[in-house]
Amino acid sequence: MTNEEKSWVELTHKLILEKFKNESSGHDFWHVVRVVGLAQHLHEKEGGDLFMILMTAWLHDIADWKFHQGDLHKGPAEAHRWMSDLAIPENQIDAICHTIKNLSYKGAQVQQETLSLEGKIVQDADRLDAMGAIGIARTFAYGGHVGSAMYEPSRMPTLHHDAQAYVQDRSHTINHFYEKLLLLKDRMHTATARQLAEVRHQRLQTFLQNFMEEWVFAVATA
Ligand code: ADP
Ligand code: NI
């Protein structure tokens, strides 16, 4: 990275720290920090342009479409404005915004746009943080934030065909494992992420087994 690129990354780090200070939905500042760290790790093994990877990772959740009435443009628009103010070259801004717009999970059956290597690395990093022990914690934090029940045995998971249906679905949180988390392992782009995902996937499965084992007492009294 050039010194100028380093300073842009540093200023963006500060911006995100400021913006996310009071967030509790599982989209907190530390989620972004972990994604930056994971993306850096994936970059070391998989290559790609480090500046593009770090900028995308810092900015990827700047305005989450799920919390803005399903508006897919708010995040990229905010990122665009910020990077224009920094005077980052337009072609780099456009590439970063394209990734931010197409990064997040929008339902099991929703077609995924093709991403650059840098985009793939950040998407792998973002998805790894939705898996494993931290993924479990984030999922229940999110479920609590939007008022979902933890579990409701009669309600089966849905493999959504469209993004709006996915975001509006107020299913219980255990369903989210079947609607997203358990599907991520087979959707990793890079070999390095695939390896990390294996371990985290196993943790999701172990958690679900333990959860259902303890749930049997509810079944016995229902
Ligand atoms: P990501 O940052 O991986 O794109 P999202 O933006 O989709 O993740 O969501 C943030 C966190 O909340 C993730 O851990 C995700 O799995 C979780 N989450 C998203 N939708 C739901 C839901 N309907 N119920 C429970 N957790 C959810
Ligand atoms: Ni994220």
Side-chain angles (χ1 to χ4, degrees), residues 89-115:
E90 200 64 31
N91 62 325
Q92 289 182 311
I93 297 182
D94 289 345
I96 291 168
C97 289
H98 176 267
T99 299
I100 293 175
K101 180 158 179 275
N102 295 296
L103 197 75
S104 77
Y105 187 84
K106 300 189 177 70
Q109 316 254 35
V110 176
Q111 183 70 33
Q112 162 82 60
E113 286 282 325
T114 307
L115 298 175

mmCIF file of all heavy atoms in Angstrom, residues 89-115:
data_model
loop_
_atom_site.group_PDB
_atom_site.id
_atom_site.type_symbol
_atom_site.label_atom_id
_atom_site.label_comp_id
_atom_site.label_asym_id
_atom_site.label_seq_id
_atom_site.Cartn_x
_atom_site.Cartn_y
_atom_site.Cartn_z
ATOM 1 N N PRO A 89 -9.448 7.554 -6.145
ATOM 2 C CA PRO A 89 -9.785 7.485 -7.579
ATOM 3 C C PRO A 89 -11.136 6.799 -7.825
ATOM 4 O O PRO A 89 -11.463 5.793 -7.178
ATOM 5 C CB PRO A 89 -8.639 6.664 -8.173
ATOM 6 C CG PRO A 89 -7.491 6.884 -7.234
ATOM 7 C CD PRO A 89 -8.105 7.053 -5.866
ATOM 8 N N GLU A 90 -11.868 7.372 -8.776
ATOM 9 C CA GLU A 90 -13.248 6.953 -9.049
ATOM 10 C C GLU A 90 -13.373 5.459 -9.373
ATOM 11 O O GLU A 90 -14.313 4.794 -8.926
ATOM 12 C CB GLU A 90 -13.788 7.805 -10.212
ATOM 13 C CG GLU A 90 -15.300 7.848 -10.327
ATOM 14 C CD GLU A 90 -16.000 8.513 -9.136
ATOM 15 O OE1 GLU A 90 -15.413 9.433 -8.506
ATOM 16 O OE2 GLU A 90 -17.129 8.094 -8.820
ATOM 17 N N ASN A 91 -12.423 4.915 -10.140
ATOM 18 C CA ASN A 91 -12.540 3.496 -10.509
ATOM 19 C C ASN A 91 -12.426 2.585 -9.285
ATOM 20 O O ASN A 91 -13.105 1.560 -9.183
ATOM 21 C CB ASN A 91 -11.513 3.117 -11.592
ATOM 22 C CG ASN A 91 -10.086 3.296 -11.117
ATOM 23 O OD1 ASN A 91 -9.785 4.223 -10.352
ATOM 24 N ND2 ASN A 91 -9.196 2.416 -11.541
ATOM 25 N N GLN A 92 -11.617 2.995 -8.320
ATOM 26 C CA GLN A 92 -11.508 2.203 -7.085
ATOM 27 C C GLN A 92 -12.784 2.334 -6.250
ATOM 28 O O GLN A 92 -13.286 1.353 -5.695
ATOM 29 C CB GLN A 92 -10.293 2.643 -6.272
ATOM 30 C CG GLN A 92 -8.982 2.223 -6.940
ATOM 31 C CD GLN A 92 -7.770 2.621 -6.128
ATOM 32 O OE1 GLN A 92 -7.650 3.760 -5.693
ATOM 33 N NE2 GLN A 92 -6.874 1.683 -5.918
ATOM 34 N N ILE A 93 -13.317 3.550 -6.179
ATOM 35 C CA ILE A 93 -14.570 3.764 -5.447
ATOM 36 C C ILE A 93 -15.668 2.877 -6.031
ATOM 37 O O ILE A 93 -16.392 2.197 -5.298
ATOM 38 C CB ILE A 93 -15.019 5.253 -5.507
ATOM 39 C CG1 ILE A 93 -13.983 6.151 -4.829
ATOM 40 C CG2 ILE A 93 -16.394 5.422 -4.867
ATOM 41 C CD1 ILE A 93 -14.368 7.628 -4.800
ATOM 42 N N ASP A 94 -15.777 2.870 -7.356
ATOM 43 C CA ASP A 94 -16.837 2.097 -8.005
ATOM 44 C C ASP A 94 -16.701 0.606 -7.707
ATOM 45 O O ASP A 94 -17.693 -0.080 -7.441
ATOM 46 C CB ASP A 94 -16.828 2.328 -9.525
ATOM 47 C CG ASP A 94 -17.322 3.729 -9.874
ATOM 48 O OD1 ASP A 94 -17.927 4.381 -8.999
ATOM 49 O OD2 ASP A 94 -17.083 4.170 -11.018
ATOM 50 N N ALA A 95 -15.456 0.113 -7.751
ATOM 51 C CA ALA A 95 -15.237 -1.320 -7.493
ATOM 52 C C ALA A 95 -15.608 -1.663 -6.050
ATOM 53 O O ALA A 95 -16.261 -2.686 -5.782
ATOM 54 C CB ALA A 95 -13.779 -1.685 -7.776
ATOM 55 N N ILE A 96 -15.244 -0.811 -5.107
ATOM 56 C CA ILE A 96 -15.559 -1.063 -3.692
ATOM 57 C C ILE A 96 -17.075 -1.020 -3.476
ATOM 58 O O ILE A 96 -17.643 -1.896 -2.807
ATOM 59 C CB ILE A 96 -14.824 -0.041 -2.785
ATOM 60 C CG1 ILE A 96 -13.316 -0.317 -2.826
ATOM 61 C CG2 ILE A 96 -15.352 -0.100 -1.346
ATOM 62 C CD1 ILE A 96 -12.451 0.781 -2.223
ATOM 63 N N CYS A 97 -17.733 -0.038 -4.081
ATOM 64 C CA CYS A 97 -19.184 0.089 -3.907
ATOM 65 C C CYS A 97 -19.930 -1.085 -4.539
ATOM 66 O O CYS A 97 -20.937 -1.542 -4.004
ATOM 67 C CB CYS A 97 -19.683 1.416 -4.468
ATOM 68 S SG CYS A 97 -19.151 2.797 -3.436
ATOM 69 N N HIS A 98 -19.432 -1.581 -5.653
ATOM 70 C CA HIS A 98 -20.051 -2.763 -6.275
ATOM 71 C C HIS A 98 -20.015 -3.945 -5.296
ATOM 72 O O HIS A 98 -21.004 -4.651 -5.116
ATOM 73 C CB HIS A 98 -19.337 -3.129 -7.582
ATOM 74 C CG HIS A 98 -19.867 -4.391 -8.229
ATOM 75 N ND1 HIS A 98 -19.313 -5.635 -7.991
ATOM 76 C CD2 HIS A 98 -20.920 -4.589 -9.042
ATOM 77 C CE1 HIS A 98 -20.008 -6.550 -8.662
ATOM 78 N NE2 HIS A 98 -20.986 -5.940 -9.312
ATOM 79 N N THR A 99 -18.880 -4.136 -4.642
ATOM 80 C CA THR A 99 -18.776 -5.237 -3.678
ATOM 81 C C THR A 99 -19.718 -5.005 -2.493
ATOM 82 O O THR A 99 -20.440 -5.917 -2.093
ATOM 83 C CB THR A 99 -17.326 -5.374 -3.159
ATOM 84 O OG1 THR A 99 -16.482 -5.663 -4.265
ATOM 85 C CG2 THR A 99 -17.217 -6.500 -2.141
ATOM 86 N N ILE A 100 -19.718 -3.787 -1.952
ATOM 87 C CA ILE A 100 -20.549 -3.521 -0.767
ATOM 88 C C ILE A 100 -22.016 -3.805 -1.076
ATOM 89 O O ILE A 100 -22.736 -4.393 -0.263
ATOM 90 C CB ILE A 100 -20.358 -2.063 -0.287
ATOM 91 C CG1 ILE A 100 -18.932 -1.882 0.236
ATOM 92 C CG2 ILE A 100 -21.365 -1.714 0.808
ATOM 93 C CD1 ILE A 100 -18.595 -0.456 0.614
ATOM 94 N N LYS A 101 -22.432 -3.435 -2.276
ATOM 95 C CA LYS A 101 -23.833 -3.635 -2.660
ATOM 96 C C LYS A 101 -24.183 -5.123 -2.741
ATOM 97 O O LYS A 101 -25.312 -5.519 -2.443
ATOM 98 C CB LYS A 101 -24.071 -2.963 -4.013
ATOM 99 C CG LYS A 101 -25.472 -3.090 -4.540
ATOM 100 C CD LYS A 101 -25.768 -1.988 -5.548
ATOM 101 C CE LYS A 101 -27.177 -2.129 -6.086
ATOM 102 N NZ LYS A 101 -27.239 -3.059 -7.221
ATOM 103 N N ASN A 102 -23.216 -5.934 -3.121
ATOM 104 C CA ASN A 102 -23.519 -7.341 -3.392
ATOM 105 C C ASN A 102 -22.948 -8.311 -2.366
ATOM 106 O O ASN A 102 -22.915 -9.518 -2.594
ATOM 107 C CB ASN A 102 -22.995 -7.702 -4.791
ATOM 108 C CG ASN A 102 -23.727 -6.931 -5.861
ATOM 109 O OD1 ASN A 102 -24.923 -7.104 -6.041
ATOM 110 N ND2 ASN A 102 -23.029 -6.030 -6.535
ATOM 111 N N LEU A 103 -22.500 -7.775 -1.241
ATOM 112 C CA LEU A 103 -21.793 -8.610 -0.269
ATOM 113 C C LEU A 103 -22.716 -9.474 0.578
ATOM 114 O O LEU A 103 -22.450 -10.647 0.798
ATOM 115 C CB LEU A 103 -20.991 -7.691 0.662
ATOM 116 C CG LEU A 103 -19.907 -8.379 1.464
ATOM 117 C CD1 LEU A 103 -18.721 -8.703 0.570
ATOM 118 C CD2 LEU A 103 -19.447 -7.494 2.611
ATOM 119 N N SER A 104 -23.798 -8.889 1.059
ATOM 120 C CA SER A 104 -24.519 -9.562 2.148
ATOM 121 C C SER A 104 -25.465 -10.643 1.634
ATOM 122 O O SER A 104 -25.889 -10.641 0.480
ATOM 123 C CB SER A 104 -25.241 -8.542 3.023
ATOM 124 O OG SER A 104 -26.391 -8.107 2.372
ATOM 125 N N TYR A 105 -25.764 -11.534 2.523
ATOM 126 C CA TYR A 105 -26.622 -12.685 2.252
ATOM 127 C C TYR A 105 -28.063 -12.211 2.130
ATOM 128 O O TYR A 105 -28.558 -11.471 2.976
ATOM 129 C CB TYR A 105 -26.472 -13.648 3.425
ATOM 130 C CG TYR A 105 -27.146 -14.976 3.250
ATOM 131 C CD1 TYR A 105 -26.524 -16.008 2.571
ATOM 132 C CD2 TYR A 105 -28.406 -15.210 3.803
ATOM 133 C CE1 TYR A 105 -27.135 -17.244 2.432
ATOM 134 C CE2 TYR A 105 -29.020 -16.439 3.677
ATOM 135 C CZ TYR A 105 -28.385 -17.448 2.986
ATOM 136 O OH TYR A 105 -28.994 -18.672 2.861
ATOM 137 N N LYS A 106 -28.759 -12.663 1.073
ATOM 138 C CA LYS A 106 -30.117 -12.144 0.830
ATOM 139 C C LYS A 106 -31.155 -13.247 0.676
ATOM 140 O O LYS A 106 -32.226 -13.025 0.130
ATOM 141 C CB LYS A 106 -30.111 -11.255 -0.395
ATOM 142 C CG LYS A 106 -29.171 -10.059 -0.240
ATOM 143 C CD LYS A 106 -29.305 -9.048 -1.330
ATOM 144 C CE LYS A 106 -28.406 -7.849 -1.082
ATOM 145 N NZ LYS A 106 -26.982 -8.171 -1.249
ATOM 146 N N GLY A 107 -30.827 -14.439 1.151
ATOM 147 C CA GLY A 107 -31.773 -15.555 1.052
ATOM 148 C C GLY A 107 -31.128 -16.716 0.316
ATOM 149 O O GLY A 107 -30.341 -16.517 -0.602
ATOM 150 N N ALA A 108 -31.506 -17.934 0.750
ATOM 151 C CA ALA A 108 -30.833 -19.150 0.274
ATOM 152 C C ALA A 108 -30.869 -19.319 -1.237
ATOM 153 O O ALA A 108 -29.929 -19.816 -1.840
ATOM 154 C CB ALA A 108 -31.453 -20.364 0.961
ATOM 155 N N GLN A 109 -31.976 -18.904 -1.867
ATOM 156 C CA GLN A 109 -32.139 -19.155 -3.307
ATOM 157 C C GLN A 109 -31.927 -17.901 -4.144
ATOM 158 O O GLN A 109 -32.271 -17.898 -5.323
ATOM 159 C CB GLN A 109 -33.558 -19.678 -3.576
ATOM 160 C CG GLN A 109 -34.020 -20.721 -2.591
ATOM 161 C CD GLN A 109 -34.011 -22.105 -3.202
ATOM 162 O OE1 GLN A 109 -33.147 -22.433 -4.016
ATOM 163 N NE2 GLN A 109 -34.959 -22.924 -2.812
ATOM 164 N N VAL A 110 -31.420 -16.847 -3.512
ATOM 165 C CA VAL A 110 -31.224 -15.597 -4.260
ATOM 166 C C VAL A 110 -29.882 -15.657 -4.990
ATOM 167 O O VAL A 110 -28.850 -15.972 -4.401
ATOM 168 C CB VAL A 110 -31.282 -14.363 -3.323
ATOM 169 C CG1 VAL A 110 -30.992 -13.082 -4.096
ATOM 170 C CG2 VAL A 110 -32.649 -14.281 -2.644
ATOM 171 N N GLN A 111 -29.939 -15.369 -6.308
ATOM 172 C CA GLN A 111 -28.749 -15.419 -7.164
ATOM 173 C C GLN A 111 -27.690 -14.416 -6.684
ATOM 174 O O GLN A 111 -27.993 -13.261 -6.403
ATOM 175 C CB GLN A 111 -29.195 -15.082 -8.595
ATOM 176 C CG GLN A 111 -28.108 -15.152 -9.647
ATOM 177 C CD GLN A 111 -27.654 -16.585 -9.917
ATOM 178 O OE1 GLN A 111 -28.455 -17.517 -9.828
ATOM 179 N NE2 GLN A 111 -26.374 -16.765 -10.207
ATOM 180 N N GLN A 112 -26.452 -14.856 -6.633
ATOM 181 C CA GLN A 112 -25.354 -14.011 -6.146
ATOM 182 C C GLN A 112 -24.607 -13.374 -7.326
ATOM 183 O O GLN A 112 -24.248 -14.072 -8.274
ATOM 184 C CB GLN A 112 -24.428 -14.912 -5.321
ATOM 185 C CG GLN A 112 -23.040 -14.398 -5.069
ATOM 186 C CD GLN A 112 -23.000 -13.432 -3.900
ATOM 187 O OE1 GLN A 112 -23.353 -13.776 -2.776
ATOM 188 N NE2 GLN A 112 -22.560 -12.207 -4.179
ATOM 189 N N GLU A 113 -24.381 -12.048 -7.262
ATOM 190 C CA GLU A 113 -23.580 -11.348 -8.295
ATOM 191 C C GLU A 113 -22.125 -11.821 -8.243
ATOM 192 O O GLU A 113 -21.630 -12.174 -7.166
ATOM 193 C CB GLU A 113 -23.566 -9.845 -8.019
ATOM 194 C CG GLU A 113 -24.834 -9.123 -8.335
ATOM 195 C CD GLU A 113 -25.015 -8.848 -9.823
ATOM 196 O OE1 GLU A 113 -24.012 -8.594 -10.517
ATOM 197 O OE2 GLU A 113 -26.172 -8.904 -10.266
ATOM 198 N N THR A 114 -21.427 -11.791 -9.358
ATOM 199 C CA THR A 114 -20.008 -12.146 -9.382
ATOM 200 C C THR A 114 -19.193 -11.036 -8.725
ATOM 201 O O THR A 114 -19.422 -9.858 -8.983
ATOM 202 C CB THR A 114 -19.529 -12.335 -10.836
ATOM 203 O OG1 THR A 114 -20.413 -13.258 -11.453
ATOM 204 C CG2 THR A 114 -18.112 -12.870 -10.886
ATOM 205 N N LEU A 115 -18.252 -11.429 -7.872
ATOM 206 C CA LEU A 115 -17.403 -10.452 -7.179
ATOM 207 C C LEU A 115 -15.965 -10.575 -7.668
ATOM 208 O O LEU A 115 -15.542 -11.635 -8.140
ATOM 209 C CB LEU A 115 -17.444 -10.707 -5.669
ATOM 210 C CG LEU A 115 -18.806 -10.579 -4.966
ATOM 211 C CD1 LEU A 115 -18.678 -10.979 -3.496
ATOM 212 C CD2 LEU A 115 -19.349 -9.165 -5.081
#
